[in-house]
Amino acid sequence: VTFIGGFFGLELPPVNPNGLASIWGVPARSSLTYANARSALAALLTSIRPNTLWLPAYICRSVAQAAEATATPVRYFAVDESLQPDTSALQSAVRPGDMVLAVDYFGRPPGCAFLDFVARRPDLVFVEDACHAADTGVTQWGRWCLRSPRKLVGVPDGGFIVPSAGISEANGSESRPVLDAYEAAFLRFEDEEECCNPRWHDANQRREATEPVSPRRMSRLTRELLERLALGPIADKRHANFRVLADMLDRYKYLPDKDPGFVPLGFPIRLRAALRDKVLTDLIAQGLFPAVHWSDLPSPAAFTTAHGLATELLTLPCDQRYEPIEMERIARVLRETLKRQ
Ligand SMILES: Cc1ncc(COP(=O)(O)O)c(C=O)c1O
């Protein structure tokens, strides 16, 4: 039966045919969407069962969590100071059929050396981790592409693999969504003046800290929002904000390009380790919340370049919520903080 009448659920404006859902290729079947990216990756691993999953030494713990949950053997490969994969080391160590995951760090696709390696090795299974990338500016380079929309836009949950055909029926998600991600999102949304920061921040931290690998599916509201959010204005804002920070913080910028061809996740800066931590504390005290991608790498400490970067990088926000005036404030506060050191 189709019900007619009764109370209104939620009503949303019409779908945008160029919304992120179509640009990112959100799987039409909700059973091929998950509450987060680690669960989508776990479903792919269980479907494909590679002998070995190769991960970059610079990676967030949740990706390693997907491997652990599926008992997939993991090996790590090195990245250099600019986060480019060490393709020559990979070249000699990988075996046909291995899965190799590489990341579009901060939204930027890997450089030519790695993309040439991808083209030369059809015997390997490449996963493009595009969780940081609204739009890399190049076509998908990985056989499979991994996405986590909540890192880029205001949706509470979601994770999927494109094309979704990589995941077998048996590894699909449950039909009932779990709405635990909604508490923090709604608390912040309803707190229009943002005066109850500890409440929603704590709720979000608690949730992120316990985010499991599971067969929970992405919520319908996330899908519906992704169908309505267009990439264009998001990309324009991020580029404009990035340029302001690049102009004002030229000395500290980590990505070389002032006007990148990809949509930036944020504006990463690189500082000496002790200074990075001091700056982070100072900015937070002034209500500015940079992100650390990532302080807690799952790779062995022997990968010294990656572990060094983990102590030195700090990502300033430059996303679509903000205007250049807010970027100027971040840059000013940061410069003043650095001057005091
Ligand atoms: C590059 C990258 N890939 C994958 C993930 C995992 O995403 P999720 O938290 O949706 O499982 C993250 C999370 O931080 C990430 O930064």
Side-chain angles (χ1 to χ4, degrees):
V1 274
T2 310
F3 298 117
I4 299 179
F7 75 96
F8 284 86
L10 287 177
E11 188 163 334
L12 299 170
V15 164
N16 181 332
N18 300 314
L20 292 174
S22 71
I23 286 173
W24 289 346
V26 176
R29 287 180 38 206
S30 59
S31 63
L32 296 176
T33 66
Y34 298 82
N36 50 39
R38 69 199 78 177
S39 303
L41 179 62
L44 181 72
L45 289 169
T46 319
S47 301
I48 293 184
R49 286 270 166 231
N51 286 334
T52 302
L53 170 65
W54 290 85
L55 294 178
Y58 198 78
I59 189 69
C60 73
R61 198 161 275 282
S62 49
V63 170
Q65 214 182 313
E68 233 166 80
T70 55
T72 309
V74 171
R75 292 185 65 185
Y76 290 93
F77 58 89
V79 292
D80 69 13
E81 296 284 342
S82 53
L83 287 173
Q84 296 299 329
D86 182 346
T87 39
S88 27
L90 260 179
Q91 172 71 30
S92 51
V94 286
R95 297 282 165 267
D98 285 357
M99 185 182 273
V100 179
L101 179 143
V103 181
D104 298 321
Y105 295 107
F106 306 110
R108 179 178 65 171
C112 295
F114 184 75
L115 296 184
D116 288 348
F117 174 67
V118 172
R120 272 188 280 117
R121 295 299 302 261
D123 57 320
L124 302 173
V125 182
F126 288 97
V127 176
E128 173 173 359
D129 182 333
C131 292
H132 283 180
D135 177 8
T136 57
V138 299
T139 48
Q140 180 176 322
W141 55 261
R143 171 74 183 86
W144 313 110
C145 181
L146 180 65
R147 295 208 172 268
S148 177
R150 74 179 188 288
K151 312 276 191 304
L152 295 162
V153 288
V155 295
D157 63 0
F160 51 91
I161 293 271
V162 178
S164 53
I167 295 174
S168 61
E169 197 78 34
N171 297 307
S173 57
E174 294 161 350
S175 60
R176 236 161 27 114
V178 181
L179 300 179
D180 54 358
Y182 277 78
E183 186 194 359
F186 277 135
L187 283 173
R188 183 164 196 181
F189 183 76
E190 293 298 335
D191 180 17
E192 213 173 340
E193 307 299 323
E194 301 231 306
C195 52
C196 309
N197 171 306
R199 264 193 89 195
W200 38 259
H201 176 65
D202 291 351
N204 192 54
Q205 293 283 96
R206 257 197 319 277
R207 209 256 314 175
E208 288 286 354
T210 54
E211 190 69 21
V213 171
S214 79
R216 292 172 306 151
R217 78 160 163 84
M218 181 173 90
S219 64
R220 179 175 161 218
L221 184 52
T222 290
R223 173 194 294 278
E224 297 275 338
L225 290 170
L226 294 178
E227 285 174 348
R228 286 158 177 81
L229 291 166
L231 174 64
I234 292 172
D236 291 349
K237 279 262 181 83
R238 285 177 177 262
H239 279 298
N241 289 337
F242 188 96
R243 273 194 300 272
V244 174
L245 293 176
D247 279 337
M248 294 183 72
L249 299 173
D250 189 53
R251 280 177 54 195
Y252 310 104
K253 71 175 191 291
Y254 176 65
L255 296 171
D257 222 343
K258 247 187 187 174
D259 215 353
F262 56 89
V263 177
L265 169 78
F267 184 82
I269 57 171
R270 187 174 183 183
L271 302 167
R272 278 180 291 109
L275 193 53
R276 196 276 305 263
D277 291 342
K278 178 85 183 59
V279 164
L280 178 59
T281 312
D282 272 19
L283 292 184
I284 291 174
Q286 301 190 57
L288 303 171
F289 302 115
V292 174
H293 300 101
W294 301 274
S295 53
D296 172 34
L297 303 179
S299 56
F303 290 99
T304 49
T305 305
H307 283 266
L309 286 169
T311 65
E312 294 170 357
L313 293 181
L314 191 62
T315 315
L316 306 178
C318 71
D319 61 73
Q320 62 275 11
R321 291 171 290 182
Y322 307 112
E323 298 294 334
I325 190 160
E326 284 145 330
M327 299 300 102
E328 286 164 18
R329 178 175 156 225
I330 298 179
R332 256 196 331 270
V333 171
L334 185 87
R335 278 180 181 168
E336 280 158 19
T337 302
L338 289 170
K339 231 188 285 166
R340 283 198 299 273
Q341 304 311 312

